[in-house]
Amino acid sequence: MGRILAIDYGTKRTGIAVTDEMQIIASGLTTVHTKELLGFLEDYIAVENVEKFVVGEPKQMDNTASESEVHIQKFLEKLGKRIPHIPIERVDERFTSKMAFQTMIDSGLKKKQRQNKALIDEISATLILQSYLASNS
């Protein structure tokens, strides 16, 4: 089995989470500048066995696509061309940023630490991946 890598895509920063090789545990990996994302993914899969990409799908409360979906679709096209052998699945990411922030509060992070948007993105990617694992187990 290979790892599953989750992506919480943003126009500035992108949070990344990954499973262990047994696909049991989801862990935050890092946050990268979005313009460096494809290169980061290519470098990562060169040293790690990645079986699948899971990309967050932002939706409005009425289930329609959010404004950021346009940017995500462009990224998905590029990803599919540059790394065509790894399948991509989408996961509803509604509320992940709010849940990430609450996770930071619950874990006792100080206010200054909770303002770290990169950490919120990484935790959001982890929540996306946990959601994917829970719905596919």
Side-chain angles (χ1 to χ4, degrees):
M1 286 175 103
R3 298 177 188 276
I4 300 172
L5 189 142
I7 300 169
D8 180 31
Y9 186 89
T11 54
K12 295 179 184 173
R13 286 174 316 281
T14 297
I16 299 173
V18 68
T19 65
D20 59 302
E21 289 189 350
M22 298 299 294
Q23 299 179 2
I24 298 170
I25 300 169
S27 303
L29 181 62
T30 190
T31 300
V32 298
H33 291 286
T34 298
K35 55 187 163 208
E36 300 166 4
L37 178 58
L38 287 170
F40 174 88
L41 294 173
E42 287 173 326
D43 292 345
Y44 188 82
I45 66 168
V47 294
E48 293 289 346
N49 179 21
V50 175
E51 182 178 300
K52 183 180 298 175
F53 293 124
V54 174
V55 180
E57 185 175 12
K59 293 183 179 182
Q60 305 288 351
M61 292 306 294
D62 64 0
N63 223 24
T64 59
S66 78
E67 295 171 14
S68 57
E69 183 64 17
V70 174
H71 303 289
I72 296 170
Q73 284 300 320
K74 290 177 186 173
F75 162 72
L76 291 174
E77 285 178 32
K78 291 177 188 173
L79 179 61
K81 286 178 183 167
R82 288 195 34 191
I83 310 175
H85 63 283
I86 298 179
I88 302 166
E89 289 197 39
R90 303 296 303 277
V91 171
D92 186 345
E93 67 169 49
R94 277 180 282 197
F95 309 116
T96 54
S97 292
K98 287 179 180 150
M99 289 168 52
F101 190 74
Q102 188 60 49
T103 299
M104 294 169 81
I105 292 170
D106 294 346
S107 64
L109 291 178
K110 296 192 178 355
K111 187 174 182 180
K112 187 83 170 159
Q113 294 169 306
R114 293 193 309 259
Q115 292 171 343
N116 180 349
K117 291 189 183 347
L119 183 56
I120 293 172
D121 293 337
E122 185 179 324
I123 294 170
S124 292
T126 307
L127 292 169
I128 290 167
L129 189 50
Q130 287 174 334
S131 172
Y132 175 81
L133 291 173
S135 65
N136 288 281
S137 59

